[in-house]
Amino acid sequence: MKRIFDMAFGAACEGAGACFRLWAPGADKVELLLRRGDDERAEAMVAAGDGFLQCILADARPGDRYGYRIDGGITVPDPAARHQPGCVHGLSELIDPGAYDWRDKDWRGRPWEEAAIYELHVGAFSASGRYSGVEDRLDHLAELGVTAIELMPIAEFPGARDWGYDGVLPFAPESSYGRPEELKRLVDAAHARGLMVLLDVVRNHFGPEGNYLGLYAPQFFDESRHTPWGAAINFDREGSGQVRAFFIANALYWLTEYNMDGLRLDAVHAILDASSPSFLEELAASVRARCTDRRRHLVLENDRNEARLLERGGDGAAKLYDAQWNDDYHHAMHVFLTGEAGGYYADYTDAPARHLVRCLSEGFAWQGEPSPFRGHEHRGEASGGLPPAAFIDFLQNHDQIGNRAFGERLSSLCAPEAAEAAAALLLLSPHPPMLFMGEEWAAPEPFPFFCDFSEELADLVREGRRREFAKFPEFADPELRERIPDPTQESTFRSAVLNWDRRNEGMHRERLQLYRHLLDLRRREIAPRLAGMREGGCSPGPSKGRLCLLRWRLGDGAALSLAANLGPEAASSSARELPGRLLHETHPGLRRRLAEAGQMPPWSVLWTIADPAA
């Protein structure tokens, strides 16, 4: 089976040759430079309307290298290249997507209610650091019980190692991880095991090295507005129509030509857009209209907590976006588990149980209230009318680990019994859970920030990161700041690579067994009952201190009940009897102990479920 996405941008094989198209409204003259082996030639590109230039070559072949010479000067890669081997500053490679034969023609995706997500970084996930290295571990992920893998961004970035958020060629899968066909084989193999593949994509900025768009398409940027990464991408000013079309085509490209199951849009709160409909609304509407052959899912990261982007229709299906990463859940849990109160955690220290219960029962903890951390700006929108499926909960992700100075994982910040209680709460709640790679066996490897820029930019990044942490009291000492890992050194990246042998050792093996057990319970007892849940369906109990009590009415009418003591001291509960049969208890005899004495031991979680007929 062939999958080829037809788009206005980039190079496309046509018959025996190829057509090359570039949107270059700011260039007076553009030449196509074509290289095959040692032979190289330049061909004039001609106007094709709306700022596009094109060149059709009857003798162009897959594997040829090509680029665009701008106004007789610099030669730049294709911003819509399907493959960029070697370097973001070099020539692109002409790819025929029809050369790959897909094997997953019967794959129809999975309902969103079945989502249990596993976030991973391709380069650090395996010793090989390649797409094939992920493919080699798919059996582990299927046996673990997750139903989706989420790849951190893979758009071509400068150098050989990066988190992925410095991508500059959004159509080209990172070449240090392998060729395009290797990524397609990974997706194929995942589908064969019943695993969805979600891709993290960046729409709020380009990386700081290798982005040449401003030379020939300055309309891509709005110099009057800036984000933390520089001039804002132009989504609502003159010329923005083609900019929006470029990114919408990119979304459709990954969902069709690579048969991805969904996209996660990074930090959409940093997209500056005052238009109506907004770019985010147009993108989602385009995906819903064009991708109708099977299930596809759209996920947001959005610090603004805009519940309206997650609204459901009368049939319960998402109108625009299926879900959002729920930072509120993470922050409240992190305060419970570590006691940390600096930075954004300060917004949750007053009453972490209240914030956590609100997350579990209504979605967001912050639904329009003034946030002290944000200078008392009002944050969020009312989310109680949304189903649990709209909120992805997690204990760790790349940001929450990597934004720490040393990239420590949760397993090094809290007691094992606390981490196990948190896992029991996360994996059995009606909200879609997300794990970060290695979490399932308490991997000790850190995940620090790393990159591979040219030396001048590397110096700025290195010093900038140390200045950033100088604001924190614990890093007031310059000598301590010098111990912060240098993000530009290969050793920093190497420290993040998972050691898979550890999962078979001692407590790591026991943690893996726990995660497998909990995810199996979720698969059998929770996920099949989630379809049809509306408006939260949750009734909070009398929670106080570190004690949380909740009950959900699931889609099939079953009642799911939770009692949790998220603290190092025993707690008394007014609710002694949870209805239904025992689903999971962190301590043997916990349910009996609660019923007889109303006591919850430290770091204890009890789940019960009452079937509809009960």
Side-chain angles (χ1 to χ4, degrees):
M1 183 177 183
K2 310 294 185 183
R3 291 193 170 98
I4 305 172
F5 178 62
D6 183 18
M7 59 186 175
F9 302 88
C13 294
E14 295 184 351
C19 176
F20 301 84
R21 287 173 59 87
L22 178 72
W23 189 57
D28 294 325
K29 174 186 175 183
V30 178
E31 297 168 285
L32 171 70
L33 189 69
L34 191 76
R35 180 184 298 164
R36 183 179 301 159
D38 295 329
D39 297 329
E40 185 174 287
R41 74 180 198 265
E43 299 283 349
M45 299 190 73
V46 299
D50 296 328
F52 280 93
L53 300 172
Q54 80 174 30
C55 180
I56 299 175
L57 295 182
D59 62 341
R61 300 288 184 271
D64 288 348
R65 301 293 181 88
Y66 70 99
Y68 301 110
R69 182 179 293 154
I70 307 299
D71 292 328
I74 188 172
T75 298
V76 302
D78 184 354
R82 282 179 162 93
H83 186 41
Q84 185 68 21
C87 174
V88 295
H89 306 289
L91 297 179
S92 307
E93 180 179 328
L94 181 61
I95 292 291
D96 176 13
Y100 182 80
D101 289 314
W102 286 86
R103 305 184 301 273
D104 64 351
K105 63 182 178 65
D106 295 326
W107 174 253
R108 292 295 176 266
R110 300 186 70 142
W112 183 245
E113 289 81 8
E114 295 179 1
I117 306 163
Y118 189 97
E119 187 194 18
L120 66 88
H121 181 278
V122 173
F125 183 67
S126 71
S128 72
R130 298 179 67 87
Y131 301 120
S132 58
V134 180
E135 182 180 351
D136 290 342
R137 297 295 184 180
L138 290 177
D139 286 338
H140 164 85
L141 298 178
E143 292 166 6
L144 173 62
V146 295
T147 60
I149 59 174
E150 181 176 308
L151 305 178
M152 287 176 64
I154 58 172
E156 188 74 27
F157 51 71
R161 54 190 183 273
D162 195 281
W163 271 19
Y165 298 92
D166 296 310
V168 291
L169 298 172
F171 290 81
E174 171 57 33
S175 57
S176 66
Y177 300 157
R179 291 186 57 82
E181 53 269 26
E182 293 180 67
L183 175 58
K184 293 175 181 179
R185 281 199 295 270
L186 166 59
V187 176
D188 239 345
H191 291 168
R193 292 162 174 80
L195 295 169
M196 297 185 284
V197 183
L198 312 178
L199 179 63
D200 193 342
V201 295
V202 181
R203 297 291 179 261
N204 51 52
H205 74 288
F206 289 91
E209 181 181 340
N211 173 26
Y212 295 100
L213 281 164
L215 294 176
Y216 54 87
Q219 293 88 337
F220 244 94
F221 303 97
D222 180 3
E223 294 291 346
S224 70
R225 296 182 293 182
H226 285 74
T227 72
W229 305 281
I233 295 177
N234 174 24
F235 285 111
D236 61 357
R237 305 288 173 92
E238 183 179 354
S240 63
Q242 291 298 347
V243 177
R244 292 163 77 120
F246 179 85
F247 285 112
I248 290 171
N250 181 254
L252 295 169
Y253 163 82
W254 289 116
L255 294 171
T256 56
E257 191 160 300
Y258 280 84
N259 208 24
M260 297 284 182
D261 296 274
L263 304 174
R264 179 261 189 188
L265 276 66
D266 174 65
V268 300
H269 51 269
I271 294 175
L272 305 183
D273 179 12
S275 62
S276 182
S278 69
F279 165 71
L280 288 176
E281 291 169 327
E282 184 181 356
L283 184 150
S286 297
V287 169
R288 301 301 180 195
R290 295 280 299 275
C291 298
T292 58
D293 57 324
R294 65 174 185 81
R295 299 181 182 93
R296 302 304 204 300
H297 307 296
L298 296 174
V299 173
L300 296 172
E301 179 195 18
N302 188 2
D303 188 66
R304 291 194 295 258
N305 282 3
E306 292 169 306
R308 64 182 181 275
L309 295 174
L310 307 173
E311 287 181 358
R312 268 47 183 174
D315 60 354
K319 292 182 179 180
L320 297 173
Y321 293 88
D322 294 85
Q324 176 179 315
W325 279 20
N326 196 356
D327 281 344
D328 284 349
Y329 179 93
H330 170 272
H331 297 347
M333 283 296 301
H334 194 84
V335 169
F336 271 126
L337 295 170
T338 70
E340 293 182 352
Y344 42 65
Y345 294 126
D347 275 356
Y348 304 83
T349 55
D350 58 332
R354 174 170 57 82
H355 291 298
L356 181 64
V357 167
R358 197 178 198 198
C359 288
L360 289 168
S361 59
E362 299 180 29
F364 297 134
W366 292 89
Q367 300 181 30
E369 298 82 6
S371 159
F373 172 71
R374 295 164 179 79
H376 296 281
E377 290 183 3
H378 292 269
R379 177 184 176 226
E381 299 172 354
S383 57
L386 295 170
F391 306 95
I392 298 172
D393 292 343
F394 47 89
L395 302 174
Q396 305 180 73
N397 64 28
H398 72 274
D399 269 332
Q400 306 305 334
I401 301 172
N403 286 343
R404 304 178 67 87
F406 297 100
E408 309 102 314
R409 288 173 175 262
L410 186 62
S411 56
S412 70
L413 301 174
C414 71
E417 58 269 25
E420 291 170 4
L425 199 157
L426 173 76
L427 297 179
L428 296 180
S429 98
H431 295 213
M434 185 175 73
L435 315 181
F436 185 68
M437 62 179 195
E439 176 183 337
E440 70 273 26
W441 72 79
E445 289 81 16
F447 192 75
F449 174 66
F450 50 81
C451 58
D452 185 20
F453 295 138
S454 60
E455 191 54 38
E456 181 179 354
L457 186 56
D459 287 341
L460 294 174
V461 171
R462 183 185 307 114
E463 294 309 312
R465 187 157 178 85
R466 286 173 179 161
R467 280 197 309 272
E468 176 185 351
F469 285 104
K471 298 178 295 185
F472 295 86
E474 58 267 39
F475 292 103
D477 183 348
E479 290 188 9
L480 183 57
R481 290 202 299 275
E482 288 300 314
R483 291 173 48 202
I484 296 174
D486 181 347
T488 68
Q489 292 296 309
E490 184 176 0
S491 59
T492 302
F493 160 70
R494 290 294 170 196
S495 72
V497 177
L498 291 179
N499 179 349
W500 283 80
D501 291 338
R502 283 201 178 97
R503 65 191 173 128
N504 299 316
E505 301 171 355
M507 64 83 62
H508 302 292
R509 181 177 66 251
E510 293 173 4
R511 184 68 59 84
L512 178 57
Q513 291 171 346
L514 173 65
Y515 269 70
R516 284 175 172 166
H517 169 68
L518 291 170
L519 283 164
D520 182 59
L521 276 178
R522 181 179 189 86
R523 177 188 63 81
R524 291 186 288 108
E525 297 280 7
I526 307 297
R529 305 171 184 269
L530 297 179
M533 282 192 77
R534 305 288 178 90
E535 299 182 0
C538 183
S539 302
S543 302
K544 62 178 181 178
R546 289 174 170 264
L547 188 68
C548 300
L549 301 169
L550 296 102
R551 183 174 300 166
W552 291 265
R553 182 64 61 184
L554 303 183
D556 68 346
L560 178 68
S561 298
L562 165 70
N565 175 20
L566 301 176
E569 306 292 338
S572 298
S573 172
S574 59
R576 294 194 172 194
E577 194 62 50
L578 300 188
R581 53 191 169 83
L582 176 66
L583 191 60
H584 179 76
E585 55 185 4
T586 52
H587 298 62
L590 173 60
R591 189 181 192 186
R592 175 181 51 77
R593 187 168 169 181
L594 177 64
E596 293 176 354
Q599 287 290 308
M600 295 284 290
W603 301 115
S604 57
V605 173
L606 172 64
W607 287 100
T608 66
I609 191 164
D611 296 318

